[in-house]
Amino acid sequence: MKTWLNKSALSKGAVTALASISIFTLAACSGGTAPTASDGAAGSATDAITVYNAQHDTLTQAWADAFTKETGIKVTLRQGDDSELSNQIVQEGAKSPADVFLTENSPAMTQVENAGLFADTSAKIQEQVPAEYRPSTNKWTGIAARSTVFAYDKTKLTEAQLPKSIMDLADPAWKGRWAASPSGADFQAIVSAMLELKGEAATLSWLESMKENSKAYKGNSTAMKAVNAGEVEGAVIYHYYWFGDQAKTGENSKNVALEYFKSQDPGAFVSISGGGVLASSKHQDNAQKFLEFITGKAGQTVLQTGTSFEYPVASDVAPNAKLTPLSELQAPKIDPAKLNSAKVTELMTQAGLL
Ligand SMILES: [Fe+2]
């Protein structure tokens, strides 16, 4: 489902007058409420930057509002999902109106990088972001991180009954008992990690078992709700859907607990959300400034204190205290540049999941 938003078209109010709209729905990610629009007090239209945003809209809106408040530079968001926007950028090439591209997962960044469309990130960005959270090419940078989890029905499963590895879900014993959102970029990033760690044959075989064993839902929130409602016993999703729901009413997660696979398992994959400046951007300085802001103390603190429950990756900002620290997740070490989204789509199509 497309969720395009040209925020500048909505920006008419005063600084504090936030206009909200309610016509948007999110398919792959239920990041929360509808986007808001706001104007900075300073900055002219020619300074404004356009961000193609595949991150959760509420998170990027919080970053954009804080950035505009600090710099006066206006930010226009265009909302879509990872591959939708990366395909769009590649198709638009040098004519793309995008100054910055933000994603939920890195395969879409790699696609744009491989098309030669990113400028180098600034020295400040490279200074703020540890090497493990950005590609060595420095054509984009990590801006946040998220962990794969098995969200399970704690009223039905004991810890001893949980799969030890995501690979175990291929076992016929799990038939009809677990769920995922195979059409979403989040799940496809997890598969890309499996492909990198286990190879093509093992991944295809796992995907074929998944087609047999699992129930497909549209969106991670929907998959988690299905667990909570007792439709399935577990779901492979990212961690923040559970924390986000718990922070609200908990009504969609009250029966749900999280298992972190750890042990460098493919199911312990920590996905890096990316940000990059388009080489064709006419606002290079402001675009770099926006990424510097996001990866700086203020931007990363939005992750710590806001409602996204994603992990900060830069400027030594600690995660929200409710989260298990990244350092304890025993995630597999994977070079984000090696995540191959095209091959994932091919294998998932072959397995009948797409
Ligand atoms: Fe998501």
Side-chain angles (χ1 to χ4, degrees):
M1 186 181 296
K2 286 199 173 187
T3 52
W4 285 88
L5 169 63
N6 185 331
K7 188 166 76 71
S8 67
L10 302 163
S11 301
K12 300 289 181 215
V15 181
T16 53
L18 300 179
S20 68
I21 52 176
S22 58
I23 55 171
F24 290 90
T25 55
L26 289 174
C29 292
S30 59
T33 54
T36 57
S38 64
D39 256 9
S44 70
T46 51
D47 294 330
I49 57 168
T50 296
V51 176
Y52 278 22
N53 179 48
Q55 247 294 351
H56 290 197
D57 53 355
T58 45
L59 171 60
T60 302
Q61 193 65 60
W63 275 329
D65 289 344
F67 174 72
T68 302
K69 201 173 165 194
E70 187 177 296
T71 63
I73 301 164
K74 291 179 189 175
V75 179
T76 297
L77 300 187
R78 291 191 180 183
Q79 195 70 28
D81 71 21
D82 283 4
S83 59
E84 179 186 351
L85 292 183
S86 60
N87 287 331
Q88 175 93 16
I89 289 170
V90 169
Q91 195 178 40
E92 290 169 345
K95 291 197 183 78
S96 178
D99 297 298
V100 174
F101 181 34
L102 301 182
T103 63
E104 281 207 273
N105 301 284
S106 59
M109 302 305 293
T110 304
Q111 186 194 349
V112 174
E113 175 178 355
N114 290 344
L117 297 174
F118 278 138
D120 291 342
T121 55
S122 73
K124 187 170 181 188
I125 292 166
Q126 295 172 32
E127 212 176 278
Q128 291 179 155
V129 183
E132 61 186 304
Y133 296 120
R134 53 183 163 84
S136 56
T137 56
N138 287 313
K139 288 293 184 187
W140 56 272
T141 181
I143 55 172
R146 49 266 299 287
S147 176
T148 311
V149 292
F150 188 62
Y152 66 95
D153 184 341
K154 64 186 178 187
T155 72
K156 289 198 181 129
L157 294 174
T158 63
E159 279 186 41
Q161 293 169 314
L162 295 173
K164 298 283 173 286
S165 162
I166 194 172
M167 305 311 287
D168 295 350
L169 293 170
D171 193 303
W174 279 97
K175 189 172 171 64
R177 296 169 60 200
W178 69 283
S181 173
S183 60
D186 291 351
F187 184 78
Q188 291 173 20
I190 298 168
V191 178
S192 75
M194 184 183 291
L195 176 62
E196 174 61 14
L197 293 164
K198 298 285 183 185
E200 191 173 328
T203 302
L204 178 60
S205 155
W206 188 86
L207 290 169
E208 285 167 348
S209 302
M210 174 179 171
K211 174 70 181 167
E212 282 294 305
N213 291 352
S214 72
K215 291 188 184 170
Y217 290 88
K218 197 161 178 60
N220 286 327
S221 288
T222 317
M224 184 177 72
K225 274 186 205 170
V227 177
N228 191 58
E231 291 170 30
V232 283
E233 291 171 48
V236 174
I237 59 173
Y238 282 151
H239 75 282
Y240 51 79
Y241 291 95
W242 186 87
F243 286 96
D245 189 66
Q246 290 282 306
K248 286 186 266 180
T249 60
E251 63 178 326
N252 295 316
S253 61
K254 60 181 182 297
N255 298 326
V256 180
L258 300 185
E259 181 197 20
Y260 294 85
F261 286 108
K262 298 190 174 177
S263 305
Q264 286 76 45
D265 191 75
F269 172 59
V270 168
S271 182
I272 299 174
S273 302
V277 171
L278 278 301
S280 56
S281 165
K282 305 276 188 293
H283 312 102
Q284 287 292 324
D285 286 355
N286 288 352
Q288 295 284 354
K289 268 187 207 158
F290 185 57
L291 277 190
E292 287 166 7
F293 178 84
I294 288 176
T295 56
K297 205 121 219 156
Q300 293 292 291
T301 302
V302 169
L303 295 166
Q304 182 191 58
T305 59
T307 55
S308 73
F309 292 99
E310 296 192 43
Y311 286 95
V313 293
S315 297
D316 293 323
V317 174
N320 186 301
K322 292 196 171 78
L323 302 183
T324 308
L326 277 178
S327 57
E328 291 174 24
L329 296 182
Q330 301 171 14
K333 290 222 181 322
I334 297 174
D335 178 356
K338 294 209 171 127
L339 299 178
N340 186 339
S341 56
K343 193 70 184 176
V344 166
T345 308
E346 185 190 314
L347 294 178
M348 289 183 71
T349 303
Q350 207 178 324
L353 289 161
L354 295 178

